[in-house]
């Protein structure tokens, strides 16, 4: 017993000493701040980043850190408008085929080295290098023919064809070439201790616990108001709320029920301010329409499915109204809603009529729908980790049951669900997608026939007309022309319904009233510019 | 009875316990009492089913190893060693994931898979212990073969401890099921299990206590009853039987 | 003694190999593969997916990959995590101290409560204390750990504000301060882990003490002229055997036993790592953790054998050949 106690003490001591050695916040020199400067902002993360390499990262968590430590050439403001960042200005020539970016002068990386066009070119090269596996970034650079650097502050990007969404890809934070060139790109130590030109310097990453950033006093855009930005890893949603209540974090997004429970409480609203926004994330059901099931190859059946699901009812009751039901592929902030687009509201009568028309009639003997002896029974795959998937599926199951359709639900973990989506080994599946700020980003992946194999067109949707429009949308440089192209796509998709777009769940967050001067964009409070740079803590 | 457990969007989500809903409703407005009653089936099925399989497999493997000895013993002992090296939750979880489908059966088997080894170990150990003992020698002298020896003479000796192990095994299996549900690997909706009701309602814990407290209380009562029954049935002299 | 040890270690090797084989092939059976996981669910176009696939070169079969892994292991190289590219030893090294600290605290808490209860219960079997204690421990055993965790968080950490809610840290001006900080953070998770352990260890210790007390062992050795102190020491040595056995069954829990508690309390431990690695099909990490778990289990068995040797003279004389009931 005594030996065990000794072991414990030794271990406790070892653990107690360890953090003192690993982090070294004292090395960051912060000049005495003026009015409104100082303070710490703590933001919860559910998932740990895998890498902080600006190029190879592929998850939202690491993207947040990268946007604070690094700078892209361009960014989006709180209203998703394009704003300059490391590029002061840009212009398109040669009918939209050549993009010339004029870089900001006098910018330095956190280690003091100057930022030049060579760093931009290096970042581009790392993205397209297959060895980097930069899957989250590569799509926007695939149409690039070459990148030229006529001088230190000019970058000329030549595309294979006029490419309208070109600037979206240049949000990638720029890597310090001089540091990365020295060792292996994938195992470089800067992947866990990134160096950029951004408003915050990296301080420490304590695995599984937190990532600490300190303000960059020499930032070209002016020093941020807060001194410390800390990400705390809290894997459980329930614990996140409790941590907010305990004052351990400054911001937490709440589930609708959590929200309902606390919004009425005056003590809660005295301490916390409401932050609401409609994020770019939406849920949809993909109906596998390639004929592998007898049901969903017929657009009438797919439209009937959409009409059978009470999306508005789900949003108003289960989500307590905090969500948006689209009939379009696009987030309202990405493409202004089309007033002429027909809405597909819940309508069991029209559903029944459409199903009858498609041959799926109620068998009087069983009360279930069937066609030529084949009963209408299918399996819906959902992701077991999402409350929205689980709850919506149960509601859908009940609605369909009343219409004479038997749907079973199968819960899968993410890799399994994904692998079955990719193989097309499913009949119907709920999935979610974070839309890009450019309409092409969402629509091309979901709808273009080239994306059926290996891409995101899980419904196996194949329509020559939509393919042609999608390609035209990529090349059209005129914004009005683009908008009308995407509206055409929307109408065609509403008619054919390869997917049912379920809803955009509204993010409702509570933020400590100590925090001022931040407004969420559809990408949240961090992924915008200047955003956090202007955030103040009292 | 408060209607079907899988009713659609009802108007009264998170209704506190009252006359209309004796135990209140959950976040989708479903009657909690109805869900608890329907949820008893999968929970008990996993608890009893998995333990029955674990007991059967464990007993046979243990008895076979203990009686045969030699290579068979060595192989079974090694297999038990290998399986027991995996943490139970990870083993059950990997099994459920590997079958590529969720539902009652994969879970039942996954839970059984992670629980048969302790049974096998115990039975084998007991056989080795009794080997050469009075019961053994006299039965052998009366011409009893291996199988008969185990079933007629050894089983009664082991019945008490095995009963205790089984009861605690059932409790452990139900807890494992609820843990799997908590991590998102539970039974498929809308089938409720007590574990999955608990897991689903943790999100609403600070809005509503009833969807957490009632299934938890049901679990605690069931498990306590099982344990108490085992204690009583087996008598206090078996209080040293291994539980895990 | 040395020969015995050696033989035990060698006989454990097939089990170790078996464990890694099983882990590897189960992982390969799981739908999906690391390539798909790599993109983390980000919008991946057909072009990008194709490029990634050819670059990663996952065309090698599972057998070849296992062989490569095993060969590297023999050179002491556990490989690199597929998720973040760090050496597996680093990945596990980051998580292990927290899990060890948590589980050692839990073991101390379990034994600290259960053994005294066992002694009290055994010295007055059937008394009100014995029965009430037994019932209380049974009820606690039946509380699912995650439910206990959620309730404790809300009640003790947020409601009363006595203890930190989540996370772990060991910070402070002085060393005792850091240990204190660490202990405060570990208090609630330890309690959750201890809930289910108490009933088990209490049963064990009660039975063990009873068997000793019941045999009037004490009075006999006292009659033989041993001092009270020495008699109690003898008693302790005799009751140590089942505790040692029990400890060996608890040790494997160090790796996988605290997954849920680590998840709820945001502890960066091995359990959470295990779960994340299985979900991501990060087989180098899963294999290494499985190997660690297996080594702990087998080392636990070996430890039991050794302690039996030290504690029980009957076994010492009957040592050879290999103890047959030692599985």
């Amino acid at each position: 017993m005594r030996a065990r106690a000794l072991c414990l003490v030794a271990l406790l001591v070892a653990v107690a000493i360890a953090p003192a050695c690993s982090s070294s916040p004292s090395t960051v020199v912060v000049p005495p701040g003026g009015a409104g400067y100082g303070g710490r902002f703590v933001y919860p993360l559910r998932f740990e980043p895998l890498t902080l390499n600006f190029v190879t990262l592929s998850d939202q968590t690491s993207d947040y850190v990268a946007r604070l430590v690094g700078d892209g050439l361009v960014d989006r403001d709180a209203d998703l408008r394009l704003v300059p960042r490391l590029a002061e200005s840009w212009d398109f020539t040669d009918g939209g085929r050549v993009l010339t970016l004029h870089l900001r002068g006098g910018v330095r990386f956190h280690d003091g080295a100057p930022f030049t066009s060579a760093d931009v070119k290096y970042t581009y090269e790392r993205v397209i290098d297959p060895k980097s596996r930069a899957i989250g970034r590569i799509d926007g650079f695939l149409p690039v023919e070459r990148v030229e650097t006529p001088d230190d502050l000019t970058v000329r990007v030549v595309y294979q064809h006029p490419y309208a969404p070109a600037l979206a890809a240049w949000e990638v934070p720029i890597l310090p070439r001089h540091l990365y060139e020295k060792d292996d790109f994938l195992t470089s130590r800067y992947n866990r201790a990134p160096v950029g030109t951004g408003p915050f310097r990296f301080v420490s990453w304590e695995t599984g616990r937190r990532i600490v950033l300190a303000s960059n006093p020499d930032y070209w855009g002016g020093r941020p108001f807060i001194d410390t930005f800390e990400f705390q890893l809290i894997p459980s949603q329930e614990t996140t709320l409790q941590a907010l209540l305990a004052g351990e974090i400054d911001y937490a997004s709440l589930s609708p029920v959590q929200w309902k429970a606390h919004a009425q409480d005056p003590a809660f609203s005295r301490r916390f301010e409401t932050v609401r926004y409609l994020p770019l994330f939406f849920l949809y059901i993909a109906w596998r329409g390639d004929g592998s099931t007898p049901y969903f190859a017929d657009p009438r059946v797919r439209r009937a499915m959409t009409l059978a699901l009470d999306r508005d009812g789900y949003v108003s009751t289960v989500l307590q109204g905090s969500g948006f039901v689209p009939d379009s592929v696009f987030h309202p902030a990405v493409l202004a809603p089309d007033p002429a687009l027909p809405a597909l509201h819940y309508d069991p009568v029209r559903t029944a009529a459409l199903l009858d028309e498609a041959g799926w009639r109620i068998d009087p003997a069983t009360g279930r729908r069937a066609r030529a002896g084949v009963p209408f029974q299918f399996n819906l795959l959902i992701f077991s980790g999402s409350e929205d998937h689980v709850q919506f599926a149960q509601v859908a199951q009940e609605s369909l049951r009343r219409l004479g359709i038997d749907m079973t639900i199968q819960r899968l973990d993410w890799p399994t669900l994904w692998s079955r989506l990719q193989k097309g080994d499913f009949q119907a599946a709920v999935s979610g997608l974070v839309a890009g700020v450019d309409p092409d980003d969402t629509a091309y992946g979901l709808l273009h026939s080239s994306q059926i194999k290996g891409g995101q067109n899980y419904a196996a949707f194949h329509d020559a007309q939509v393919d042609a429009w999608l390609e035209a949308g990529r090349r059209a440089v005129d914004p009005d022309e683009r908008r009308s192209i995407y509206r055409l796509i929307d109408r065609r998709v509403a008619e054919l319904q390869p997917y049912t777009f379920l809803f955009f769940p509204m993010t409702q967050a509570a933020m400590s009233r100590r925090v001022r001067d931040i407004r969420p964009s559809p990408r949240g409070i961090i992924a915008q510019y200047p955003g956090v740079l202007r955030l103040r803590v009292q | 009875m408060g209607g079907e457990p899988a009713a659609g969007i009802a108007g009264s989500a998170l209704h506190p316990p009252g006359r209309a809903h004796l135990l209140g409703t959950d976040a989708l407005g479903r009657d909690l009492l109805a869900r608890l009653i329907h949820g008893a089936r999968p929970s008990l099925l996993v608890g009893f089913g998995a333990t029955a399989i674990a007991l059967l497999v464990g007993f046979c493997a243990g008895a076979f190893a203990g009686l045969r000895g030699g290579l068979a013993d060595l192989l079974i002992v090694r297999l038990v060693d290998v399986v027991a090296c995996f943490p139970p939750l990870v083993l059950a979880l990997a099994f459920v994931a590997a079958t590529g489908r969720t539902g009652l059966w994969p879970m039942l088997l996954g839970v059984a898979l992670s629980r048969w080894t302790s049974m096998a170990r115990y039975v084998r150990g007991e056989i080795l212990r009794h080997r050469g003992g009075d019961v053994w020698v006299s039965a052998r002298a009366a011409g009893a073969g291996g199988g008969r020896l185990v079933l007629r003479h050894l089983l009664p000796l082991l019945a008490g401890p095995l009963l205790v192990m089984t009861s605690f095994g059932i409790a452990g299996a139900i807890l494992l099921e609820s843990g799997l549900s908590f991590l998102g690997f539970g039974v498929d909706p809308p089938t409720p299990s007590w574990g999955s009701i608990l897991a689903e309602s943790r999100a609403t814990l600070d809005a509503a206590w009833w969807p957490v407290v009632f299934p938890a209380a049901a679990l605690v009562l069931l498990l306590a009853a099982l344990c108490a029954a085992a204690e009583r049935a087996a008598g206090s002299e078996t209080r040293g039987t291994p539980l895990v | 003694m040395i020969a015995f040890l050696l033989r035990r270690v060698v006989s454990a090797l097939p089990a170790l190999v078996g464990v890694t084989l099983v882990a590897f092939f189960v992982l390969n059976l799981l739908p999906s593969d690391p390539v798909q996981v790599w993109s983390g669910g980000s919008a991946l176009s057909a072009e990008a997916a194709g490029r990634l696939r050819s670059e990663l070169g996952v065309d090698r079969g599972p057998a070849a990959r296992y062989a490569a892994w095993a060969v590297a292991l023999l050179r002491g190289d556990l490989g690199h995590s597929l998720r973040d590219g760090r050496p597996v030893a680093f990945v596990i090294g980051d998580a292990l101290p927290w899990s060890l600290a948590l589980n050692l605290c839990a073991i101390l808490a379990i034994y600290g409560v259960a053994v005294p209860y066992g002694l009290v219960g055994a010295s007055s079997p059937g008394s009100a204390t014995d029965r009430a204690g037994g019932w209380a421990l049974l009820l606690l055993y039946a509380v699912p750990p995650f439910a206990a965790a959620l309730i404790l968080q809300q009640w003790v950490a947020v409601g009363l504000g006595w203890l930190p809610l989540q996370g772990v840290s060991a910070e402070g001006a002085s060393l005792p301060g850091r240990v204190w900080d660490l202990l405060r953070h570990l208090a609630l998770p330890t309690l959750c882990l201890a809930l289910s352990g108490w009933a088990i260890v209490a049963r064990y210790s009660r039975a063990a003490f009873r068997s000793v007390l019941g045999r009037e062992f004490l009075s006999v050795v006292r009659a033989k002229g041993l001092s009270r102190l020495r008699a109690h020491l003898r008693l302790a040595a005799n009751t140590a055997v089942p505790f040692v056995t029990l400890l060996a069954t608890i040790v494997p829990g160090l790796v996988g036993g605290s997954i849920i508690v680590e998840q709820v309390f945001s502890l960066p431990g091995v359990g959470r790592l295990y779960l994340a690695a299985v979900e991501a099909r990060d087989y180098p990490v899963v294999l290494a953790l499985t190997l660690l778990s297996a080594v702990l289990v087998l080392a636990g068995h070996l430890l039991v054998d050794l302690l039996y040797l030290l504690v029980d003279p009957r076994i010492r004389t009957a040592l050879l050949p290999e103890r047959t009931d030692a599985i």
Side-chain angles (χ1 to χ4, degrees):
Chain A
M1 209 56 143
R2 203 182 59 196
R4 200 156 60 230
L6 278 178
C7 283
L8 178 70
V9 169
L11 192 87
L12 294 179
V13 169
V15 171
I17 294 172
C21 315
S22 65
S23 63
S24 49
S26 55
T27 54
V28 178
V29 185
V30 180
Y37 285 89
R40 185 174 81 130
F41 182 77
V42 186
Y43 188 93
L45 293 179
R46 279 196 74 181
F47 302 101
E48 173 131 55
L50 300 180
T51 172
L52 295 179
N53 181 311
F54 303 155
V55 160
T56 59
L57 62 85
S58 62
D59 56 305
Q60 193 182 43
T61 303
S62 32
D63 183 56
Y64 283 162
V65 182
R67 282 168 182 279
L68 297 178
V69 175
D71 278 316
L73 297 188
V74 297
D75 208 334
R76 303 272 172 165
D77 68 6
D79 301 307
L80 292 187
R81 282 186 302 250
L82 209 55
V83 291
R85 207 161 161 175
L86 280 179
E88 273 175 328
S89 64
W90 55 86
D91 41 69
F92 284 98
T93 48
D94 193 11
R97 209 169 76 90
V98 178
L99 165 66
T100 310
L101 296 140
H102 306 284
L103 306 183
R104 207 172 288 278
V107 175
R108 289 183 178 277
F109 284 102
H110 297 156
D111 66 341
F115 154 77
T116 68
S117 58
D119 297 302
V120 178
K121 186 159 195 263
Y122 177 77
T123 303
Y124 159 76
E125 284 165 351
R126 292 285 69 75
V127 173
I128 56 152
D129 184 352
K131 287 193 182 62
S132 309
R133 305 158 189 169
I135 45 184
R137 307 271 188 203
I138 198 161
D139 278 326
F141 284 150
L142 284 175
V144 173
E145 192 179 287
R146 61 182 187 275
V147 172
E148 297 163 357
T149 50
D151 62 60
D152 272 0
L153 295 180
T154 310
V155 176
R156 189 183 300 132
V157 191
V158 181
Y159 289 84
Q160 289 151 7
H161 49 77
Y163 185 57
L167 281 163
W170 291 105
E171 282 186 32
V172 56
I174 301 303
L175 294 169
R177 184 179 72 132
H178 63 286
L179 296 178
Y180 270 104
E181 256 185 354
K182 285 181 201 147
D183 46 10
D184 179 57
F185 187 66
L186 283 180
T187 56
S188 162
R189 68 192 183 91
Y190 300 104
N191 292 345
R192 291 185 68 81
V195 172
T197 59
F200 290 88
R201 294 164 178 242
F202 172 85
V203 176
S204 67
W205 177 0
E206 294 158 50
T207 315
R209 297 166 58 204
R210 59 186 172 186
I211 295 171
V212 183
L213 311 177
S215 84
N216 172 9
D218 308 319
Y219 187 54
W220 57 264
R223 175 187 160 200
F225 285 109
I226 52 169
D227 284 346
T228 308
F229 198 107
E230 186 177 320
F231 292 96
Q232 247 190 50
L233 273 144
I234 307 179
S236 135
Q237 162 100 35
E238 293 75 49
T239 311
T240 307
L241 171 62
Q242 301 303 334
L244 179 82
L245 295 176
E248 294 178 9
I249 54 177
D250 293 306
Y251 178 96
S253 70
L254 308 186
S255 72
V257 196
Q258 289 176 329
W259 191 257
K260 189 186 172 201
H262 289 284
Q264 317 297 336
D265 180 4
F268 185 82
S269 27
R270 250 199 317 279
R271 286 178 63 199
F272 303 105
E273 169 188 5
T274 314
V275 178
R276 301 176 111 229
Y277 63 91
L278 196 64
L280 295 172
F281 174 78
F282 65 95
L283 290 180
Y284 62 87
I285 298 182
W287 312 103
R288 187 71 183 178
D290 60 355
S292 58
T293 70
Y295 320 110
F296 304 123
D298 185 340
R300 284 172 302 187
V301 175
R302 301 194 297 251
R303 216 160 58 239
M305 290 293 111
T306 303
L307 291 168
L309 303 178
D310 188 2
R311 300 175 290 162
D312 298 291
Y314 182 84
V315 168
S316 64
T317 54
V318 180
L319 297 187
Q320 319 266 351
S322 60
F324 172 79
V325 177
D327 286 304
S328 152
V329 196
F330 304 108
H331 185 282
V334 170
L335 190 79
D338 178 0
L341 194 67
L344 295 162
H345 292 304
Y346 175 56
D347 190 342
V349 180
R350 257 178 82 197
T351 309
L354 274 169
L355 289 171
D356 287 342
E357 192 187 316
W360 296 99
R361 292 170 207 286
I362 299 224
D363 177 349
T366 59
R368 320 307 298 153
R369 281 184 194 274
R371 187 177 69 185
V374 181
F376 202 140
Q377 283 175 344
F378 69 98
N379 188 28
L380 178 76
L381 303 188
I382 61 171
F383 168 45
S384 61
S386 157
E387 207 63 12
D388 275 331
H389 281 229
V390 176
Q391 295 193 329
F392 188 84
Q394 295 181 59
V395 172
Q397 185 179 44
E398 179 58 19
S399 313
L400 291 175
R401 193 185 62 79
R402 289 184 191 152
L403 284 160
I405 297 169
D406 295 310
M407 179 181 89
T408 51
I409 301 170
Q410 193 178 345
R411 308 207 297 177
L412 299 172
D413 69 345
W414 178 242
T416 311
L417 172 61
W418 198 30
S419 120
R420 293 195 48 187
L421 283 171
Q422 299 235 305
K423 283 189 221 139
D425 174 20
F426 68 100
Q427 295 173 303
V430 181
S431 186
L433 185 69
V434 180
V437 287
D438 191 281
D440 171 71
D441 196 68
T442 322
Y444 197 86
L446 279 178
L447 299 169
H448 196 276
S449 62
S450 68
Q451 303 300 311
I452 295 176
K453 242 185 141 47
Q456 286 209 96
N457 186 348
Y458 302 134
F461 178 66
H462 192 311
D463 185 81
Q465 183 66 73
V466 170
D467 280 356
W469 282 329
L470 283 168
E471 282 150 30
R474 283 198 155 178
R475 287 158 199 255
V477 234
D478 175 42
D480 292 329
E481 190 194 342
R482 283 194 92 200
R483 188 168 59 237
S484 52
I485 290 174
Y486 287 114
R487 287 194 162 167
L488 286 174
I489 292 174
D490 247 352
R491 278 177 218 168
R492 181 92 178 134
V493 167
E495 197 183 304
L496 297 178
Q497 284 293 300
Y499 304 91
T500 297
F501 303 106
L502 297 178
F503 48 86
F504 288 88
M506 174 94 78
T507 295
Q508 298 188 99
M511 187 164 67
S512 161
R513 289 211 181 265
R514 303 188 308 123
V515 182
R516 312 215 149 251
D517 299 330
I518 187 89
R519 180 164 72 87
S521 95
R523 297 197 296 190
I525 60 168
I526 296 177
Q528 53 164 300
Y529 196 79
V532 177
L533 198 55
R534 299 274 164 268
L535 181 150
R536 280 175 216 254
V537 176
Q538 284 175 331
Chain B
M1 189 52 60
E4 291 175 60
I9 309 170
S12 52
L14 289 182
H15 202 280
R19 198 172 305 162
H21 303 281
L22 271 181
L23 301 184
T25 62
D26 70 1
L28 289 182
R30 294 171 297 194
D31 186 81
L32 198 62
L33 179 61
R35 276 180 70 76
L36 278 184
I37 291 169
H38 285 258
R41 191 180 147 270
S43 295
L44 294 177
L45 216 67
V46 170
F48 284 85
T51 309
I53 296 174
L55 183 66
L56 194 72
V57 174
F59 188 85
C60 292
F64 187 71
L67 288 175
R68 265 295 173 87
L71 187 64
D73 185 39
L74 187 75
L75 286 179
I76 289 176
V77 168
R78 288 284 165 262
L79 184 66
V80 167
D81 269 349
V82 165
V83 175
C85 281
F86 293 91
L89 192 61
V90 173
L91 191 62
L93 197 147
F95 182 83
V96 172
T99 53
R101 46 194 323 114
T102 47
L104 209 53
W105 274 104
M107 180 140 78
L108 206 150
L109 291 176
V111 171
L113 180 67
S114 60
R115 301 198 69 89
W116 67 276
T117 52
S118 51
M119 303 273 187
R121 214 172 256 191
Y122 177 72
V123 170
R124 177 180 173 275
E126 287 301 296
I127 288 184
L128 293 182
R129 201 160 69 85
H130 286 289
R131 197 172 211 161
D134 297 342
V135 178
W136 190 279
V137 173
S138 47
R140 270 287 191 214
R148 189 182 159 81
L149 197 70
V150 167
L151 290 179
R152 291 292 291 275
H153 302 280
L154 210 54
L155 198 54
L157 275 180
L158 300 187
L162 277 181
L163 196 62
V164 176
M165 283 181 84
T166 308
S167 315
F168 279 96
I170 294 170
I174 293 176
L175 282 177
L176 196 57
E177 187 271 335
S178 73
L180 283 174
S181 291
F182 182 82
L183 295 174
F185 290 87
V187 290
D188 285 326
T191 318
S193 78
W194 291 350
S196 72
I197 299 175
L198 254 176
E200 272 181 38
S201 45
R202 73 191 135 140
T204 60
L205 178 62
D206 49 359
W209 52 269
W210 54 94
V212 173
V213 168
F214 289 130
L219 264 176
V220 169
L221 286 179
L222 170 71
L223 301 186
L226 280 170
C227 300
E231 300 263 328
R232 179 141 306 192
S236 60
E237 78 279 4
T238 58
R239 288 197 91 181
T241 317
L243 307 178
V244 279
Chain C
M1 185 78 172
I2 302 286
F4 166 77
L5 259 180
L6 257 176
R7 206 173 45 239
R8 293 285 297 166
V9 168
V10 169
S11 74
L13 285 179
L16 283 183
V17 174
V19 165
T20 58
L21 267 172
V22 169
F24 189 83
F25 286 99
V26 166
L27 216 59
N28 271 286
L29 277 183
L30 295 181
S32 174
D33 61 73
V35 184
Q36 292 173 328
V37 176
W38 203 308
S39 58
S42 61
L44 194 59
S45 72
E47 295 83 352
R51 287 171 71 114
L52 177 63
R53 218 150 289 231
S54 65
E55 168 54 30
L56 272 175
V58 284
D59 39 356
R60 286 188 303 166
R65 272 187 290 154
Y66 179 80
W69 178 82
V71 168
L73 180 68
L74 290 178
R75 292 196 314 261
D77 178 9
L78 285 168
H80 288 71
S81 160
L82 290 186
R83 288 196 310 148
D84 61 10
R86 284 193 303 156
V88 171
F90 281 28
V91 175
I92 294 178
D94 269 351
L96 198 56
W98 304 112
S99 282
L100 282 179
L102 172 64
N103 282 282
L104 286 176
C105 283
I107 287 176
L108 280 188
I110 291 172
Y111 276 66
V113 170
V115 173
Y117 161 77
L119 197 55
V120 171
S123 53
S124 56
S127 71
T129 332
D130 180 33
R131 298 177 73 92
W135 270 102
L137 291 181
L138 265 189
L139 278 178
L140 290 180
Y141 173 74
V143 179
F146 61 86
L150 295 176
I151 291 165
L152 281 175
Q153 276 188 333
Q154 188 140 23
W155 180 43
V156 181
V158 178
L160 298 171
W162 288 351
L163 288 169
L165 167 77
Q166 51 93 27
V168 67
S169 70
E171 279 154 21
S174 60
L175 190 61
R178 285 195 212 118
V179 173
W180 175 240
D181 187 43
L182 178 64
L183 287 177
R184 275 171 50 82
H185 278 93
L186 292 181
L188 289 182
T190 298
L191 190 59
C192 290
L193 280 184
L195 285 183
S196 54
W198 278 333
I200 295 171
V201 179
R203 285 172 54 91
Y204 248 99
S205 56
R206 188 179 174 284
F209 286 126
R210 274 206 74 186
S211 69
V212 179
L213 293 173
R215 278 190 214 125
E216 288 159 5
F217 177 86
L218 262 183
S219 44
V220 173
V221 290
R222 285 298 301 279
K224 282 171 83 179
L226 262 69
S227 75
R228 194 177 169 77
L229 178 71
R230 295 201 55 187
H232 272 102
L233 280 178
R234 276 293 165 83
L235 176 75
N238 265 290
T239 48
V241 176
F243 290 119
V244 166
T245 318
L246 195 59
L247 195 64
T249 63
I250 289 180
V251 166
L254 291 178
V255 173
S258 45
I259 293 180
I260 288 175
V261 166
E262 287 176 15
Q263 182 85 4
V264 177
F265 287 99
S266 324
L267 301 178
V270 176
R272 225 169 94 196
L273 181 65
Y274 214 149
L275 188 67
V278 170
E279 282 187 336
R281 316 292 189 249
D282 187 354
Y283 72 88
V285 173
V286 174
L287 285 179
L289 284 174
T290 309
L291 200 61
L292 178 68
S293 161
V295 168
L296 281 177
V297 171
L298 298 173
H301 293 168
L302 190 60
L303 185 76
V304 172
D305 288 353
L306 284 180
L307 286 168
Y308 268 117
L309 279 180
L310 296 178
V311 166
D312 194 332
R314 285 171 300 177
I315 298 178
R316 205 180 304 155
T317 50
L319 166 68
L320 302 168
E322 182 182 352
R323 205 161 64 74
T324 42
D325 59 343
I327 340 174

